[in-house]
Amino acid sequence: MTDNQKITVTRTIEAPAQSVFNVLTNPAEHVKLDGSGFIRSVDHGDRIQKVGQVFTMNMEGEHMGGEYQTDNHVTGYVDDKLVAWQTAPAGTEPKGWEWMYELDAKGPNETEVTLTYDWSKVTDKELLKKVHFPLVQEHALEESLQKLSELAAS
């Protein structure tokens, strides 16, 4: 579902919520999950364990003129249920866009995962002129959930 300030996709994954959560909370796995093609590698980042952590990713995209880094500030964390972060150019504070994964166990080996890409809190007028949201399209989020499904089930 897409509205003018966020995109939400949902998929049922044949894996326990804990397995899905273990993939999502390991920044080193994010390159394997990325449906956008922007993530190249993790620069630094321990397993996500609490709100307030920051992990840095090496990225590449024409929208930023090539290679760049992002700092991802963890904004939501509930064991086996939720992980979320706001992204910012490395060394800066978040500008208002957020990635959120919500997990709902549907049984011992099935988890409904909802991925939301939300830019509703972006208020920087200069940034809004430069970056045309959504930077990542709905089909890329669906691809990320497909990749998550494959990783969590393995």
Side-chain angles (χ1 to χ4, degrees):
M1 173 190 83
T2 303
D3 70 20
N4 60 351
Q5 295 189 307
K6 70 180 173 183
I7 300 171
T8 301
V9 296
T10 301
R11 178 187 185 100
T12 299
I13 293 176
E14 292 184 26
Q18 184 178 32
S19 296
V20 176
F21 195 74
N22 283 342
V23 173
L24 292 172
T25 56
N26 182 355
E29 296 284 14
H30 290 196
V31 70
K32 297 175 193 169
L33 299 176
D34 180 27
S36 72
F38 295 147
I39 300 174
R40 295 296 171 242
S41 62
V42 63
D43 183 73
H44 76 271
D46 296 327
R47 179 170 295 281
I48 298 167
Q49 297 180 337
K50 64 183 179 187
V51 170
Q53 280 182 260
V54 178
F55 60 96
T56 301
M57 303 302 288
N58 297 313
M59 312 285 286
E60 186 173 4
E62 291 307 312
H63 62 285
M64 293 292 284
E67 294 182 8
Y68 62 103
Q69 286 187 322
T70 59
D71 286 341
N72 300 280
H73 300 252
V74 179
T75 55
Y77 182 93
V78 178
D79 268 334
D80 299 339
K81 294 195 178 296
L82 170 79
V83 64
W85 57 85
Q86 287 191 3
T87 300
T92 68
E93 290 301 309
K95 307 296 187 220
W97 65 93
E98 185 172 48
W99 299 92
M100 180 172 21
Y101 288 85
E102 297 169 279
L103 284 60
D104 183 11
K106 296 296 184 185
N109 294 308
E110 198 172 77
T111 307
E112 184 178 86
V113 180
T114 300
L115 168 55
T116 302
Y117 167 42
D118 182 344
W119 60 96
S120 64
K121 297 178 187 106
V122 177
T123 57
D124 183 321
K125 303 264 188 260
E126 290 303 311
L127 178 65
L128 288 168
K129 286 180 191 172
K130 194 161 106 175
V131 177
H132 300 286
F133 289 97
L135 203 54
V136 179
Q137 302 299 315
E138 185 170 348
H139 67 86
L141 273 69
E142 289 169 351
E143 186 175 330
S144 289
L145 288 185
Q146 170 62 36
K147 291 177 176 196
L148 175 59
S149 178
E150 293 164 7
L151 277 171
S154 62

